[in-house]
Amino acid sequence: MHKINPKKLLNSKWTAVSPKHKEKHFMVTDVEFDEEGQVLHCIIEAVLTKRAVEIQWFDLKDEQEWSFGWR
């Protein structure tokens, strides 16, 4: 499981392990925190298609779905 610091999520790059719709490379484009520093929402955008999707930030820890960086 990936160790992820939520404060360093913004602009981080990710590769989908099983790409769908030719979308393999993604970048976190928006992260919003509450008063306690907990992530409220995280937006990830496909580099090729520019499609943006809100995800749970901790889903990026799943090595079966996501790989850190672009590969």
Side-chain angles (χ1 to χ4, degrees), residues 21-26 45-51:
H21 310 291
K22 297 183 182 178
E23 296 174 334
K24 182 175 182 176
H25 298 114
F26 293 81
E45 182 178 295
V47 175
L48 183 64
T49 63
K50 303 294 186 203
R51 184 176 68 91

Side-chain angles (χ1 to χ4, degrees), residues 12-16 19-20 23-28 44-47 49 51 53 66 69-70:
S12 62
K13 297 172 178 136
W14 297 87
T15 300
K20 296 174 184 85
E23 296 174 334
K24 182 175 182 176
H25 298 114
F26 293 81
M27 182 181 290
V28 176
I44 194 164
E45 182 178 295
V47 175
T49 63
R51 184 176 68 91
V53 179
W66 297 100
W70 290 344

Side-chain angles (χ1 to χ4, degrees), residues 28 40-44 53-60 66:
V28 176
L40 292 176
H41 79 261
C42 177
I43 304 292
I44 194 164
V53 179
E54 184 172 352
I55 65 166
Q56 297 294 324
W57 75 272
F58 49 80
D59 289 345
L60 294 171
W66 297 100

Side-chain angles (χ1 to χ4, degrees), residues 24-38:
K24 182 175 182 176
H25 298 114
F26 293 81
M27 182 181 290
V28 176
T29 57
D30 187 30
V31 181
E32 186 177 326
F33 297 92
D34 65 10
E35 299 82 32
E36 287 96 38
Q38 301 295 317

